[in-house]
Amino acid sequence: MAFLIWYFLITAIGIGFMPLTARLFSGFRDKGWVFAKSLSIFLSGYVMWVFSCMHLLKFSAFNCILTALVCVCLNLAYAFFCRKKKQSWLKGMDFRLVLIEEALFLLIFGFWTYVVCFDPAAYGTEKFMDYGFMTTMMRADYMPPTDTWYSGETINYYYGGQYLAVYLTKITGVGAGKGYNLMRAMIGPFAFLMPFSIVYQLLYCMQLHVRKTVGTKWCMFGGILSGFAVSFCGNMHYVIYRLGKLLVSKIQGTVLEKYYYYYPDSTRYIGHDPLVETDKTIHEFPSYSLVLGDLHAHMANLMFVLIVVGIAFAWALQQEEQKNNSCSGKEKMGTVLRKALFQPEILFMGFFTGIFRWTNFWDFPIYFVVGGCVVFFLNICIYRKSLKQYTVTTFLQAAEVLVIGWAASLPFTLTFDKIASNIWLTHSHSAFYQLVILWGLPFVICIGFVIFCIRSYCGRKGHHGRVVHSGEKAHSRPGPGDDTGSTAKRRKTKQSGIVGFFCYLNPADFFIFLMSLCAMGLILMPEVVYVEDIYTNSYRANTMFKLTYQGYILFGICMAYILTRALMLAAKGVKVLAAIGLLCLSLTGGFGVNAIHSKYGNIFDLERFKGLDASIFLEDSFPSDQDAIRWLNENVEGQPVVLEANGDSYTGYQRVSVTTGLPTVTGWYVHEWLWRNDTEAQNARVADVEKIYTSTDKEEVLGLIEKYKISYIYIGTLEREKFPNINDLLLQEIGTVAYSNGVDTYIMKVGQ
């Protein structure tokens, strides 16, 4: 039932946002249908967040529903306005494609929800942290939320993804336990269908420019391949270290009984195998995240970064006519700027890239550059007749994007202290063979496409400066891999060099050319620079993690387009190479199957089905705490401080604050160290917690209780494990027992 409520809600709100989405994605065959869902979640949730940060609206279920309805009504008003001007957002929509996308969304969402039900516990890795973010926001009246692991302070981390999960949870009323798992399951269909929509439109657009007729079968194939590559595939580590090892053993005649492939090895290879203590790195990708189940910033933001990619291509389509005709260079600068600075696509790229500071800070600079590349190079074509117009317009568009993003993220940045700011040159590098294993396949495919585009341009320049679109037959001698059997409208230009090259490319090839370069740059950048943080033994791990994660997403889109394009249009020899590339990419899809089996076991054994409740781990891992935590959830309102024993990161400590949303004095040590970079203050809190539990000085204990405004003290098995000499007599003397299981767990109510 929770699944259906969640699905129908996001679908209904998504439909309500279609007028806006159809405007942004007017060049898409589906009018951005799947993007409407993520846009609606983000924009309506953002409105609620802003009003909550300003203390104008409480973060309640009623107000969440109210903001969603108001946003939908504004969209409907916009649709009515367009209709009066005889414009319709339904015009040109391919309803057959929309139905296919919706069926796929429901199928994939249902699949991931079903899989999650075999291990729904928000316990292990960083699920504790993510679930704790959600439970504290479930109790919060206003944003920013209280840090459950650092009482008296707000969360100093990008919590936007978890906030949006809570926003949907409050609207649906399914509770934090189910909301956590429905949110992580919902990312799966978005990670599949948003690349699907982008690549489908890329291939459709490419055919319009290079063929007499347009077929949708190849568009469908490329779209599915893109969704598969982004959301389900791994890298060649799986192919070589699992499939390759099994093949070699078979050839040698040896038997590998019950050979087990540890799926995280695909994400912990450089610096781990062989071990390099000073340079352990991380190179995750979406399918690993979906299987692992952490609702962390990079995963939650996946369905929003793809909006920026989609809008960037939608803008390129919108500007195609201007690219072909070019500005004359004689228009007044004011007229040019009015046209350039008030484009919805540019405005929304600014909004989303800026607000990524709140959802996943790293994605802000990454997608500012990705979107900026499209604008920068397309403007070369649009303003090729006036260097002044090009320079001024591009500069002001960049400034516009930054200012809009700065303003949109202001409610977050006003209370956020940067975690890391220093950028340094790397002092160690990945082994070349490891880079080849992880990234060789997409690099070969994308470099091949880049070379093809350049050779195609150089080989098809006719006399008198005439240039034809890529894919069109020319009278000049074709180079290897040239498209055949296609015609297109020819275009004349006196431009040459880089200007002529970008004017020559059709919109789809232009976009994938840039995305390929961006993806390769994101992979290579951690080999050159890194952002400093607290992890000295893994000094570039976080940099590599955040950059290559986005590089993988862009690679998935690029590879699907390039391989499908080659299979559809290229010469026979290139088609063979494309088929080999497709085979290799398909083999990496085995990672998803292996990872799901490794993590969740036999998903066809319904006796192992556990449901959606993320707090189920209490029953198995903390049985003596289960009733006490339930008592806190049922009897304590607001967010008074509940003292519990602190512990190291990734341990079971903080199970009370995580499952109740009630703040404690200090929590996971390394995480708070990373977020605040103030070990002196943190160590003082650690020492004070120990004093409260073990001191024999009543006045000292009362003073610390007053200092941290503690309302309850929790004494359970982990507290007794952490502090063997716990002073039960003193603790019971300074308060009243609010709960006791009669054995070893009780809760003291202290203070006022």
Side-chain angles (χ1 to χ4, degrees):
M1 182 60 72
F3 167 80
L4 292 176
I5 292 172
W6 193 281
Y7 167 73
F8 284 119
L9 174 94
I10 62 172
T11 302
I13 302 178
I15 292 172
F17 270 74
M18 271 306 299
L20 171 63
T21 309
R23 170 59 187 87
L24 293 173
F25 295 88
S26 58
F28 278 43
R29 297 274 294 168
D30 60 2
K31 300 298 178 184
W33 175 263
V34 71
F35 293 93
K37 288 184 170 69
S38 53
L39 270 169
S40 67
I41 294 167
F42 199 101
L43 294 179
S44 60
Y46 174 80
V47 171
M48 178 69 250
W49 175 67
V50 169
F51 280 108
S52 178
C53 287
M54 297 170 66
H55 285 226
L56 296 177
L57 285 178
K58 283 190 175 182
F59 186 41
S60 64
F62 175 82
N63 287 333
C64 289
I65 295 171
L66 178 64
T67 53
L69 289 175
V70 169
C71 289
V72 168
C73 288
L74 289 174
N75 270 269
L76 296 178
Y78 173 68
F80 179 76
F81 172 77
C82 291
R83 186 178 179 184
K84 289 191 70 174
K85 296 184 68 174
K86 297 184 179 180
Q87 299 173 352
S88 174
W89 58 270
L90 291 170
K91 185 178 180 180
M93 179 181 283
D94 186 340
F95 289 98
R96 177 177 171 272
L97 177 59
V98 167
L99 289 174
I100 291 172
E101 288 180 343
E102 194 57 33
L104 286 171
F105 188 96
L106 181 58
L107 179 66
I108 298 168
F109 186 23
F111 168 77
W112 281 111
T113 303
Y114 173 79
V115 169
V116 163
C117 288
F118 286 87
D119 186 13
Y123 185 46
T125 58
E126 289 188 301
K127 296 183 186 68
F128 241 29
M129 184 206 82
D130 300 318
Y131 187 53
F133 278 16
M134 286 188 64
T135 56
T136 191
M137 282 185 273
M138 287 294 291
R139 285 181 173 268
D141 286 332
Y142 299 103
M143 296 290 111
T146 299
D147 188 342
T148 48
W149 295 345
Y150 212 85
S151 61
E153 302 290 340
T154 57
I155 293 175
N156 195 58
Y157 194 66
Y158 11 99
Y159 61 88
Q162 294 88 353
Y163 162 83
L164 291 168
V166 174
Y167 176 74
L168 290 175
T169 299
K170 289 200 171 190
I171 292 178
T172 57
V174 299
K178 293 180 179 179
Y180 176 91
N181 283 313
L182 285 168
M183 184 68 175
R184 60 180 269 212
M186 185 183 68
I187 295 170
F190 279 119
F192 186 98
L193 281 161
M194 294 169 86
F196 170 93
S197 179
I198 293 169
V199 173
Y200 184 101
Q201 187 59 44
L202 282 163
L203 291 166
Y204 190 90
C205 171
M206 183 272 297
Q207 290 183 83
L208 285 175
H209 285 79
V210 304
R211 303 183 72 175
K212 287 182 177 179
T213 59
V214 177
T216 58
K217 290 183 179 179
W218 281 109
C219 299
M220 192 68 65
F221 174 82
I224 292 173
L225 181 61
S226 177
F228 177 69
V230 172
S231 69
F232 205 75
C233 289
N235 50 43
M236 289 296 289
H237 182 278
Y238 168 81
V239 177
I240 293 171
Y241 282 85
R242 187 177 194 275
L243 301 183
K245 194 168 184 178
L246 290 172
L247 179 62
V248 169
S249 68
K250 188 172 183 179
I251 293 173
Q252 293 177 342
T254 59
V255 178
L256 293 176
E257 294 184 2
K258 297 181 179 179
Y259 173 65
Y260 179 72
Y261 176 80
Y262 186 49
Y263 72 95
D265 286 350
S266 283
T267 70
R268 306 293 194 278
Y269 179 46
I270 298 173
H272 296 265
D273 181 20
L275 182 64
V276 181
E277 288 290 352
T278 58
D279 191 24
K280 295 179 180 178
T281 69
I282 305 172
H283 34 80
E284 292 185 12
F285 41 85
S287 61
Y288 173 81
S289 302
L290 288 168
V291 171
L292 187 67
D294 289 6
L295 193 56
H296 217 43
H298 61 279
M299 180 181 174
N301 208 38
L302 178 59
M303 62 185 186
F304 305 123
V305 297
L306 286 166
I307 294 177
V308 174
V309 179
I311 290 177
F313 180 56
W315 183 78
L317 289 177
Q318 287 279 353
Q319 301 304 303
E320 178 62 11
E321 185 177 350
Q322 288 197 54
K323 172 187 170 183
N324 290 339
N325 297 329
S326 177
C327 292
S328 65
K330 298 179 181 179
E331 295 133 312
K332 292 182 179 179
M333 184 61 73
T335 303
V336 172
L337 292 179
R338 277 195 299 272
K339 292 179 181 178
L341 298 180
F342 294 98
Q343 300 176 37
E345 295 84 1
I346 298 293
L347 299 176
F348 272 89
M349 275 198 282
F351 170 78
F352 276 104
T353 54
I355 209 65
F356 287 164
R357 293 178 175 94
W358 172 52
T359 54
N360 188 23
F361 206 101
W362 285 81
D363 293 341
F364 156 60
I366 291 172
Y367 284 94
F368 175 79
V369 173
V370 169
C373 281
V374 177
V375 175
F376 181 89
F377 288 104
L378 194 51
N379 278 352
I380 288 178
C381 302
I382 296 172
Y383 304 103
R384 60 181 178 268
K385 294 182 180 179
S386 173
L387 178 62
K388 178 182 177 182
Q389 288 182 359
Y390 168 74
T391 304
V392 173
T393 301
T394 304
F395 174 80
L396 290 180
Q397 284 177 329
E400 177 185 34
V401 166
L402 288 173
V403 169
I404 291 172
W406 170 82
S409 63
L410 201 57
F412 172 72
T413 54
L414 284 174
T415 61
F416 176 71
D417 293 327
K418 286 185 179 180
I419 296 173
S421 58
N422 295 323
I423 300 176
W424 305 101
L425 292 175
T426 56
H427 49 78
S428 59
H429 304 283
S430 309
F432 179 72
Y433 77 90
Q434 292 181 313
L435 291 174
V436 170
I437 289 174
L438 294 178
W439 306 110
L441 176 63
F443 260 75
V444 168
I445 293 172
C446 290
I447 289 174
F449 180 73
V450 169
I451 293 172
F452 160 74
C453 289
I454 296 172
R455 287 195 60 179
S456 178
Y457 168 68
C458 295
R460 296 188 182 194
K461 281 183 66 177
H463 299 291
H464 311 296
R466 180 181 63 77
V467 181
V468 295
H469 281 298
S470 58
E472 178 192 353
K473 275 189 173 181
H475 294 293
S476 58
R477 184 178 179 182
D482 280 350
D483 303 79
T484 59
S486 58
T487 58
K489 181 179 179 181
R490 297 179 179 182
R491 186 159 37 89
K492 294 182 179 180
T493 176
K494 295 181 181 179
Q495 300 291 345
S496 59
I498 189 170
V499 177
F501 173 69
F502 284 110
C503 291
Y504 157 76
L505 294 175
N506 69 67
D509 287 351
F510 166 85
F511 187 76
I512 292 300
F513 181 90
L514 293 180
M515 292 303 102
S516 296
L517 295 180
C518 287
M520 290 187 285
L522 288 168
I523 303 304
L524 295 176
M525 195 172 294
E527 302 300 322
V528 181
V529 297
Y530 73 98
V531 178
E532 185 181 31
D533 55 30
I534 66 171
Y535 301 112
T536 55
N537 287 339
S538 307
Y539 76 99
R540 64 180 180 134
N542 211 30
T543 302
M544 182 178 288
F545 173 18
K546 298 299 171 59
L547 296 182
T548 60
Y549 195 87
Q550 303 306 321
Y552 187 97
I553 294 169
L554 296 180
F555 269 143
I557 292 171
C558 293
M559 286 192 293
Y561 173 83
I562 295 166
L563 293 175
T564 306
R565 188 190 196 283
L567 291 171
M568 180 171 51
L569 295 176
K572 185 177 180 180
V574 176
K575 285 185 178 180
V576 172
L577 294 175
I580 295 172
L582 179 61
L583 174 63
C584 292
L585 179 59
S586 300
L587 289 174
T588 66
F591 171 87
V593 177
N594 177 270
I596 289 173
H597 180 72
S598 299
K599 171 70 175 174
Y600 299 97
N602 181 9
I603 61 173
F604 301 104
D605 181 5
L606 295 181
E607 292 183 357
R608 301 180 56 256
F609 192 89
K610 298 179 181 178
L612 282 170
D613 187 4
S615 65
I616 195 173
F617 63 86
L618 286 174
E619 182 179 344
D620 297 328
S621 302
F622 306 101
S624 62
D625 297 307
Q626 189 174 5
D627 289 338
I629 289 172
R630 185 182 296 112
W631 183 89
L632 286 169
N633 279 323
E634 292 175 353
N635 294 277
V636 178
E637 296 182 355
Q639 291 190 285
V641 178
V642 177
L643 181 68
E644 65 176 323
N646 59 289
D648 293 330
S649 294
Y650 306 105
T651 64
Y653 290 97
Q654 279 51 78
R655 79 284 192 204
V656 178
S657 53
V658 163
T659 52
T660 63
L662 297 168
T664 192
V665 174
T666 187
W668 277 7
Y669 189 87
V670 175
H671 280 68
E672 287 294 346
W673 177 14
L674 172 66
W675 299 341
R676 302 184 185 281
N677 199 23
D678 188 352
T679 53
E680 183 178 349
Q682 192 172 350
N683 289 335
R685 287 188 175 231
V686 170
D688 288 344
V689 169
E690 183 175 7
K691 289 176 184 177
I692 294 172
Y693 277 109
T694 62
S695 176
T696 57
D697 186 337
K698 182 177 179 180
E699 293 303 318
E700 180 183 41
V701 172
L702 289 173
L704 292 173
I705 289 172
E706 177 64 25
K707 176 182 178 180
Y708 295 109
K709 296 180 172 56
I710 297 170
S711 297
Y712 296 89
I713 299 177
Y714 189 96
I715 300 94
T717 53
L718 288 184
E719 283 68 32
R720 298 186 186 284
E721 178 185 299
K722 179 83 174 182
F723 308 113
N725 57 338
I726 195 168
N727 194 339
D728 289 286
L729 292 177
L730 177 59
L731 292 177
Q732 293 178 17
E733 182 183 338
I734 61 176
T736 58
V737 178
Y739 166 87
S740 174
N741 69 353
V743 183
D744 57 358
T745 301
Y746 63 93
I747 301 171
M748 295 299 303
K749 182 173 176 56
V750 297
Q752 297 179 351

